[in-house]
């Protein structure tokens, strides 16, 4: 088994009032929602209609998230959220993610997903087809 | 079957940054979350450990919500949220709800819950025990 | 002053995990976020870059929201959210809104916005240019 | 200037439907909201009525958040969220945080706040009174 990397996937996102807080900027917690939308659409682009459930009894859960905040996004801005797989384990996918205003990085992070059995929560090996799709992307 | 009314149940709520928006006030959508917390704790006070699931295969869903906004709550305020059953149907509970700062009403609304079968979503009669507990409250 | 109506504006929305709840469906509170996204994009289509702040010292606030829930949207669905102005007052805009799966209405509601002075919160007359843009849309 | 540590502050939290997702568990993003509630109440316990704004023109912003997920919290559970300052810099506070079910750690993380000028966003030294209050806590 070799570690796989993917291309970088980009998703345009509009900042709505629901995303902001009393500081007038995007509530820092909500960037994690943006990150997930980009991961989800990347998986959908690989052919997964239900990206969080990539097979019978299979479910992705987040096992770790690390986020670094440089500069805030603001109401009504049009921003870009990226997702790129930088590492794979037997049962895990690690994404490098960014939130960009044009070429400026506002937020970056790393999120690791673990594939588990949706019944008992135990780790499950990434299916070969999924690994192949990631490698081809 | 007679329409039942309950006492008014009160829940103290603190406003956190997660609740606010770029206007510096509580995001109006989030008062519906406050309303639900008060309904949930009212049901818990009646002895329901899982208030949204008051019996085998039974689930409450919201069928209607009407909210009127008079004045906003602000970050770090300590407010009170109330819930009172004003009407019951064969399969429904209607709550009158308010958000108060001291004696001042900031938001008021009416929320109707329907009891359904959690498998097929069909309406189910309110159990007699539930009706009794509401009447006694 | 005559009451104005607008065309119906439609916005495609994807359901993400952030939108769902333990019932496996969209958390009913979150349809109000969808409604607001559609209203915001409708206003943006009229030329307002900051739809919630349509002029110096002017701000829209929600004064009333009534929502009726027929059927739930589910994770990963692609739905449509509509917004149409059905009534205008001196300082208010009332929108009829729906959430659709294809031609099936899942949720519908009515939301009234009031234009206020952002400093003192007092009602302000809708600017003639805004009324004209709505009438022309 | 010496690095300061605080006692561990604990906040009881109830899991509501608003906190859950389609997996039937707390949406992983929302633990960051729980973390913030505990930090906020810790600061309030030190005498700060507006914990995010601990002085004129001063504002705390999150500069880094690292979260590790071991086991999920579920609807209607009563959990405990902790906050403890483990490190201080000239302009930063670093908190170690956990979410506990009884003695079992479900989620743990580390969140760094930076004190900035609320006008220009520039880092500002932690006031001596704040450092003293942390040291005494």
């Amino acid at each position: 088994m070799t570690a796989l990397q993917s291309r970088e996937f980009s998703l345009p996102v509009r900042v709505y009032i629901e995303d902001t807080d009393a500081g007038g900027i995007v509530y820092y917690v909500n960037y994690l929602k943006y990150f997930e939308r980009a991961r989800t659409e990347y998986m959908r682009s690989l052919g997964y209609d239900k990206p969080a459930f990539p097979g019978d009894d299979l479910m992705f859960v987040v096992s770790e998230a690390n986020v670094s905040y440089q500069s805030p996004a603001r109401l009504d801005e049009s921003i870009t959220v990226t997702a790129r797989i930088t590492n794979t384990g037997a049962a895990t996918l690690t994404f490098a993610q960014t939130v960009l205003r044009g070429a400026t990085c506002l937020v970056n992070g790393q999120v690791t997903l673990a594939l588990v059995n949706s019944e008992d929560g135990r780790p499950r090996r990434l299916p070969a087809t999924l690994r192949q799709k990631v490698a081809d992307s």
Side-chain angles (χ1 to χ4, degrees), chain A:
Chain A
M1 194 179 60
T2 4
L4 296 174
Q5 300 208 346
S6 73
R7 68 183 164 102
E8 183 162 270
F9 181 87
S10 290
L11 183 72
V13 167
R14 175 74 72 172
V15 177
Y16 292 111
I17 293 181
E18 65 185 89
D19 304 312
T20 62
D21 69 19
I25 55 181
V26 170
Y27 180 48
Y28 67 95
V29 170
N30 289 338
Y31 294 105
L32 283 162
K33 298 183 179 179
Y34 294 167
F35 279 177
E36 184 169 63
R37 294 182 199 174
R39 293 195 308 270
T40 301
E41 294 302 341
Y42 163 71
M43 293 295 288
R44 204 184 314 277
S45 77
L46 299 189
Y48 291 97
D49 283 347
K50 302 187 169 186
F53 304 93
D56 286 349
D57 302 324
L58 293 180
M59 180 171 68
F60 276 116
V61 295
V62 171
S63 62
E64 202 165 326
N66 302 315
V67 188
S68 178
Y69 301 90
Q70 281 95 52
S71 185
R74 297 181 184 282
L75 181 61
D76 292 315
E77 278 195 320
S78 185
I79 54 180
T80 302
V81 186
T82 71
R84 188 168 64 89
I85 294 179
T86 54
N87 205 9
T88 54
T92 60
L93 293 176
T94 298
F95 286 85
Q97 304 212 245
T98 63
V99 174
L100 306 169
R101 175 194 295 128
T104 306
C105 182
L106 305 179
V107 179
N108 69 292
Q110 196 173 296
V111 179
T112 298
L113 306 187
L115 189 66
V116 299
N117 183 300
S118 54
E119 298 300 314
D120 60 18
R122 292 226 186 137
R124 292 283 301 271
R125 273 189 171 279
L126 297 178
T129 51
L130 191 156
R131 297 180 62 85
Q132 194 58 50
K133 285 178 179 181
V134 169
D136 293 347
S137 79

